[in-house]
Amino acid sequence: EVQLVESGGGLVKPGGSLRLSCAASGFTFSGYTMIWVRQAPGKGLEWVSSISSSSSYIYYADSVKGRFTISRDNAENALYLQMTSLRAEDTAVYYCARDIVLHYWGQGTLVTVSS
Amino acid sequence: DIEMTQSPSSLSASVGDRVTITCRSSQSISTYLTWYQQKPGKAPKVLIYAASSLQSGVPSRFSGSGSGTDFTLTISSLQPEDFATYYCQHSYSSLLSFGGGTKVEIK
């Protein structure tokens, strides 16, 4: 069974940093592009970042470019999102998902940016 | 970047109604279009991929059509469990994007 479990969310002050993790199991992690998507409270879905299976190709939404860094560890079946210079508008549930047609999602982890 | 525009943003319908949601892309995306359903507090789930392919396990009352820039999700006979928010998403380029969502509410 495919499982994606996010962790690392929490309350952080504006300008602060946070690192999200996504633990993957039930599939060959190293064979798939992985995605971060976020959803602000009461709002729609926003693609944040993608990383190819071997980390050769990395893409970011303009809203996070230069502040967020996506990475992965295929040996540990783990996906990461390092978030810096956080803003109030980054407050959202962050989901990790598998592949560019997002058949599998985690349960999400809430990031709240507030003073 | 490719922008995805959904309409309407919300609709009210009754059980048994036929419901149609549209999604338009700012440039041609062939059939690289996925439809998701999301219920409150839950992650989205795939209903339709490749514009018209029904995801395994999804009821046949859901269908998708379109190619190029114009796409449609149809629910042939709305059921109580279908009240949710629906999103389209393109995967034509590496910079993915979602439509703004359509909330389907009970009339």
Side-chain angles (χ1 to χ4, degrees):
Chain A
E1 179 194 3
V2 173
Q3 281 202 316
L4 297 168
V5 179
E6 301 93 340
S7 61
L11 175 63
V12 61
K13 290 181 168 50
S17 299
L18 211 54
R19 188 195 197 202
L20 305 184
S21 300
C22 172
S25 61
F27 66 101
T28 304
F29 181 74
S30 60
Y32 289 89
T33 288
M34 296 297 294
I35 309 290
W36 286 101
V37 173
R38 68 183 181 184
Q39 187 168 37
K43 301 297 184 183
L45 302 170
E46 180 187 14
W47 167 75
V48 172
S49 184
S50 303
I51 185 168
S52 64
S53 58
S54 61
S55 304
S56 297
Y57 300 99
I58 288 174
Y59 305 96
Y60 298 99
D62 286 346
S63 58
V64 306
K65 198 177 298 181
R67 300 187 299 122
F68 290 12
T69 303
I70 191 172
S71 62
R72 64 190 295 161
D73 184 337
N74 286 344
E76 295 293 327
N77 292 342
L79 174 72
Y80 304 102
L81 186 68
Q82 178 69 48
M83 305 185 295
T84 64
S85 302
L86 282 161
R87 307 166 180 166
E89 55 265 36
D90 295 318
T91 294
V93 173
Y94 285 73
Y95 295 99
C96 65
R98 191 186 86 172
D99 217 346
I100 61 173
V101 176
L102 290 68
H103 287 283
Y104 295 98
W105 298 65
Q107 83 289 351
T109 187
L110 176 62
V111 172
T112 303
V113 184
S114 174
S115 54
Chain B
D1 298 5
I2 299 172
E3 292 187 10
M4 308 299 294
T5 304
Q6 277 183 244
S7 60
S9 57
S10 65
L11 65 90
S12 295
S14 300
V15 173
D17 283 354
R18 182 181 183 89
V19 169
T20 298
I21 298 168
T22 64
C23 177
R24 177 166 290 173
S25 56
S26 60
Q27 67 182 73
S28 177
I29 58 169
S30 184
T31 57
Y32 291 90
L33 192 283
T34 304
W35 288 99
Y36 300 87
Q37 177 194 66
Q38 187 181 33
K39 295 184 178 179
K42 301 292 187 181
K45 76 166 198 176
V46 172
L47 299 175
I48 302 288
Y49 63 96
S52 61
S53 296
L54 188 68
Q55 174 68 17
S56 175
V58 173
S60 59
R61 62 181 179 272
F62 291 93
S63 64
S65 64
S67 66
T69 60
D70 294 298
F71 302 88
T72 299
L73 173 70
T74 300
I75 310 172
S76 60
S77 177
L78 197 66
Q79 298 302 300
E81 59 269 30
D82 300 337
F83 292 96
T85 302
Y86 296 84
Y87 296 92
C88 61
Q89 174 239 331
H90 85 82
S91 52
Y92 180 79
S93 70
S94 300
L95 304 182
L96 309 178
S97 60
F98 292 88
T102 297
K103 186 173 184 179
V104 177
E105 299 176 301
I106 301 172
K107 182 183 283 185

